[in-house]
Amino acid sequence: QVQLVESGGGLVQTGGSLRLSCAASGRTFSRYAMGWFRQAPGKEREFVATISWRGGSTHFADSVKGRFTISRDIAKNTMYLQMNSLKPEDTAVYYCAAQVIPGLRSGAENYDYWGQGTQVTVSS
């Protein structure tokens, strides 16, 4: 079992930066591929980024490529999402997720554990 807790959300102006954290509990955290998703009001949850269990491979949605980076610290059981050059369209609740089966997957159905989410609001 893995429990995930996001933090780091907030209000930022267009062009600003935020770093989200996802703290995981469970001894097998290091074996899971991890991902970030987001959901804006009235929209479906969408993929943002994913990172392999060792952290050596990553994959991003086109909408955030070049602006967001994903990383993980196995020793701290924590995953991060560094968000730069933020835009109003990045406003959403951001969720971290873990998948038991290794692989860089963008479909939410592939993820087994989810956090409660953290709100990110980008003002214009």
PDB file of all heavy atoms in Angstrom, residues 92-107:
ATOM      1  N   ALA A  92      -5.289  24.424 -12.118  1.00  0.00           N
ATOM      2  CA  ALA A  92      -5.947  23.136 -11.938  1.00  0.00           C
ATOM      3  C   ALA A  92      -5.604  22.593 -10.555  1.00  0.00           C
ATOM      4  O   ALA A  92      -4.731  23.126  -9.862  1.00  0.00           O
ATOM      5  CB  ALA A  92      -5.492  22.131 -12.999  1.00  0.00           C
ATOM      6  N   VAL A  93      -6.279  21.532 -10.189  1.00  0.00           N
ATOM      7  CA  VAL A  93      -5.848  20.726  -9.051  1.00  0.00           C
ATOM      8  C   VAL A  93      -4.861  19.698  -9.583  1.00  0.00           C
ATOM      9  O   VAL A  93      -5.158  18.996 -10.553  1.00  0.00           O
ATOM     10  CB  VAL A  93      -7.031  20.033  -8.365  1.00  0.00           C
ATOM     11  CG1 VAL A  93      -6.530  19.131  -7.236  1.00  0.00           C
ATOM     12  CG2 VAL A  93      -8.022  21.055  -7.837  1.00  0.00           C
ATOM     13  N   TYR A  94      -3.703  19.639  -8.956  1.00  0.00           N
ATOM     14  CA  TYR A  94      -2.656  18.729  -9.395  1.00  0.00           C
ATOM     15  C   TYR A  94      -2.596  17.525  -8.469  1.00  0.00           C
ATOM     16  O   TYR A  94      -2.574  17.667  -7.237  1.00  0.00           O
ATOM     17  CB  TYR A  94      -1.307  19.445  -9.415  1.00  0.00           C
ATOM     18  CG  TYR A  94      -1.142  20.354 -10.609  1.00  0.00           C
ATOM     19  CD1 TYR A  94      -1.892  21.521 -10.728  1.00  0.00           C
ATOM     20  CD2 TYR A  94      -0.274  20.017 -11.649  1.00  0.00           C
ATOM     21  CE1 TYR A  94      -1.764  22.346 -11.842  1.00  0.00           C
ATOM     22  CE2 TYR A  94      -0.136  20.842 -12.765  1.00  0.00           C
ATOM     23  CZ  TYR A  94      -0.890  21.991 -12.847  1.00  0.00           C
ATOM     24  OH  TYR A  94      -0.767  22.803 -13.959  1.00  0.00           O
ATOM     25  N   TYR A  95      -2.549  16.349  -9.078  1.00  0.00           N
ATOM     26  CA  TYR A  95      -2.532  15.089  -8.347  1.00  0.00           C
ATOM     27  C   TYR A  95      -1.261  14.309  -8.663  1.00  0.00           C
ATOM     28  O   TYR A  95      -0.830  14.265  -9.819  1.00  0.00           O
ATOM     29  CB  TYR A  95      -3.715  14.218  -8.746  1.00  0.00           C
ATOM     30  CG  TYR A  95      -5.069  14.808  -8.483  1.00  0.00           C
ATOM     31  CD1 TYR A  95      -5.700  15.602  -9.435  1.00  0.00           C
ATOM     32  CD2 TYR A  95      -5.740  14.567  -7.284  1.00  0.00           C
ATOM     33  CE1 TYR A  95      -6.950  16.153  -9.198  1.00  0.00           C
ATOM     34  CE2 TYR A  95      -6.993  15.098  -7.036  1.00  0.00           C
ATOM     35  CZ  TYR A  95      -7.581  15.893  -7.998  1.00  0.00           C
ATOM     36  OH  TYR A  95      -8.828  16.418  -7.756  1.00  0.00           O
ATOM     37  N   CYS A  96      -0.699  13.691  -7.657  1.00  0.00           N
ATOM     38  CA  CYS A  96       0.367  12.741  -7.936  1.00  0.00           C
ATOM     39  C   CYS A  96      -0.213  11.335  -7.859  1.00  0.00           C
ATOM     40  O   CYS A  96      -1.235  11.095  -7.200  1.00  0.00           O
ATOM     41  CB  CYS A  96       1.547  12.903  -6.987  1.00  0.00           C
ATOM     42  SG  CYS A  96       1.252  12.446  -5.267  1.00  0.00           S
ATOM     43  N   ALA A  97       0.436  10.432  -8.558  1.00  0.00           N
ATOM     44  CA  ALA A  97      -0.067   9.073  -8.658  1.00  0.00           C
ATOM     45  C   ALA A  97       1.093   8.107  -8.791  1.00  0.00           C
ATOM     46  O   ALA A  97       2.174   8.477  -9.250  1.00  0.00           O
ATOM     47  CB  ALA A  97      -1.006   8.946  -9.849  1.00  0.00           C
ATOM     48  N   ALA A  98       0.836   6.858  -8.404  1.00  0.00           N
ATOM     49  CA  ALA A  98       1.851   5.812  -8.490  1.00  0.00           C
ATOM     50  C   ALA A  98       1.277   4.606  -9.209  1.00  0.00           C
ATOM     51  O   ALA A  98       0.108   4.263  -9.022  1.00  0.00           O
ATOM     52  CB  ALA A  98       2.324   5.412  -7.092  1.00  0.00           C
ATOM     53  N   GLN A  99       2.097   3.978 -10.020  1.00  0.00           N
ATOM     54  CA  GLN A  99       1.651   2.786 -10.718  1.00  0.00           C
ATOM     55  C   GLN A  99       2.553   1.613 -10.370  1.00  0.00           C
ATOM     56  O   GLN A  99       3.779   1.746 -10.361  1.00  0.00           O
ATOM     57  CB  GLN A  99       1.606   2.999 -12.229  1.00  0.00           C
ATOM     58  CG  GLN A  99       2.903   3.460 -12.863  1.00  0.00           C
ATOM     59  CD  GLN A  99       2.797   3.512 -14.373  1.00  0.00           C
ATOM     60  OE1 GLN A  99       2.009   2.795 -14.986  1.00  0.00           O
ATOM     61  NE2 GLN A  99       3.574   4.361 -14.986  1.00  0.00           N
ATOM     62  N   VAL A 100       1.946   0.481 -10.095  1.00  0.00           N
ATOM     63  CA  VAL A 100       2.669  -0.704  -9.665  1.00  0.00           C
ATOM     64  C   VAL A 100       3.467  -1.299 -10.823  1.00  0.00           C
ATOM     65  O   VAL A 100       4.616  -1.711 -10.668  1.00  0.00           O
ATOM     66  CB  VAL A 100       1.706  -1.745  -9.077  1.00  0.00           C
ATOM     67  CG1 VAL A 100       2.433  -3.032  -8.739  1.00  0.00           C
ATOM     68  CG2 VAL A 100       0.998  -1.181  -7.853  1.00  0.00           C
ATOM     69  N   ILE A 101       2.864  -1.344 -11.994  1.00  0.00           N
ATOM     70  CA  ILE A 101       3.534  -1.943 -13.148  1.00  0.00           C
ATOM     71  C   ILE A 101       4.476  -0.911 -13.754  1.00  0.00           C
ATOM     72  O   ILE A 101       4.061   0.187 -14.090  1.00  0.00           O
ATOM     73  CB  ILE A 101       2.501  -2.396 -14.194  1.00  0.00           C
ATOM     74  CG1 ILE A 101       1.577  -3.453 -13.575  1.00  0.00           C
ATOM     75  CG2 ILE A 101       3.209  -2.950 -15.416  1.00  0.00           C
ATOM     76  CD1 ILE A 101       0.467  -3.879 -14.509  1.00  0.00           C
ATOM     77  N   PRO A 102       5.761  -1.235 -13.891  1.00  0.00           N
ATOM     78  CA  PRO A 102       6.729  -0.267 -14.424  1.00  0.00           C
ATOM     79  C   PRO A 102       6.370   0.188 -15.832  1.00  0.00           C
ATOM     80  O   PRO A 102       5.801  -0.561 -16.610  1.00  0.00           O
ATOM     81  CB  PRO A 102       8.042  -1.050 -14.420  1.00  0.00           C
ATOM     82  CG  PRO A 102       7.841  -2.129 -13.426  1.00  0.00           C
ATOM     83  CD  PRO A 102       6.395  -2.497 -13.516  1.00  0.00           C
ATOM     84  N   GLY A 103       6.726   1.426 -16.132  1.00  0.00           N
ATOM     85  CA  GLY A 103       6.490   1.936 -17.475  1.00  0.00           C
ATOM     86  C   GLY A 103       6.050   3.375 -17.436  1.00  0.00           C
ATOM     87  O   GLY A 103       5.418   3.799 -16.472  1.00  0.00           O
ATOM     88  N   LEU A 104       6.369   4.100 -18.458  1.00  0.00           N
ATOM     89  CA  LEU A 104       5.978   5.507 -18.553  1.00  0.00           C
ATOM     90  C   LEU A 104       4.642   5.583 -19.265  1.00  0.00           C
ATOM     91  O   LEU A 104       4.572   5.544 -20.494  1.00  0.00           O
ATOM     92  CB  LEU A 104       7.049   6.301 -19.311  1.00  0.00           C
ATOM     93  CG  LEU A 104       8.439   6.336 -18.671  1.00  0.00           C
ATOM     94  CD1 LEU A 104       9.406   7.114 -19.544  1.00  0.00           C
ATOM     95  CD2 LEU A 104       8.377   6.937 -17.281  1.00  0.00           C
ATOM     96  N   ARG A 105       3.599   5.685 -18.484  1.00  0.00           N
ATOM     97  CA  ARG A 105       2.248   5.670 -19.042  1.00  0.00           C
ATOM     98  C   ARG A 105       1.531   6.979 -18.758  1.00  0.00           C
ATOM     99  O   ARG A 105       1.673   7.541 -17.675  1.00  0.00           O
ATOM    100  CB  ARG A 105       1.451   4.499 -18.475  1.00  0.00           C
ATOM    101  CG  ARG A 105       2.032   3.142 -18.866  1.00  0.00           C
ATOM    102  CD  ARG A 105       1.246   2.014 -18.255  1.00  0.00           C
ATOM    103  NE  ARG A 105       1.745   0.712 -18.699  1.00  0.00           N
ATOM    104  CZ  ARG A 105       2.741   0.077 -18.129  1.00  0.00           C
ATOM    105  NH1 ARG A 105       3.371   0.608 -17.104  1.00  0.00           N
ATOM    106  NH2 ARG A 105       3.134  -1.094 -18.601  1.00  0.00           N
ATOM    107  N   SER A 106       0.748   7.435 -19.721  1.00  0.00           N
ATOM    108  CA  SER A 106       0.045   8.696 -19.566  1.00  0.00           C
ATOM    109  C   SER A 106      -1.431   8.522 -19.238  1.00  0.00           C
ATOM    110  O   SER A 106      -2.106   9.508 -18.932  1.00  0.00           O
ATOM    111  CB  SER A 106       0.192   9.531 -20.838  1.00  0.00           C
ATOM    112  OG  SER A 106      -0.315   8.822 -21.948  1.00  0.00           O
ATOM    113  N   GLY A 107      -1.924   7.316 -19.290  1.00  0.00           N
ATOM    114  CA  GLY A 107      -3.330   7.095 -18.995  1.00  0.00           C
ATOM    115  C   GLY A 107      -3.580   6.967 -17.507  1.00  0.00           C
ATOM    116  O   GLY A 107      -2.915   6.188 -16.820  1.00  0.00           O
TER     117      GLY A 107
END
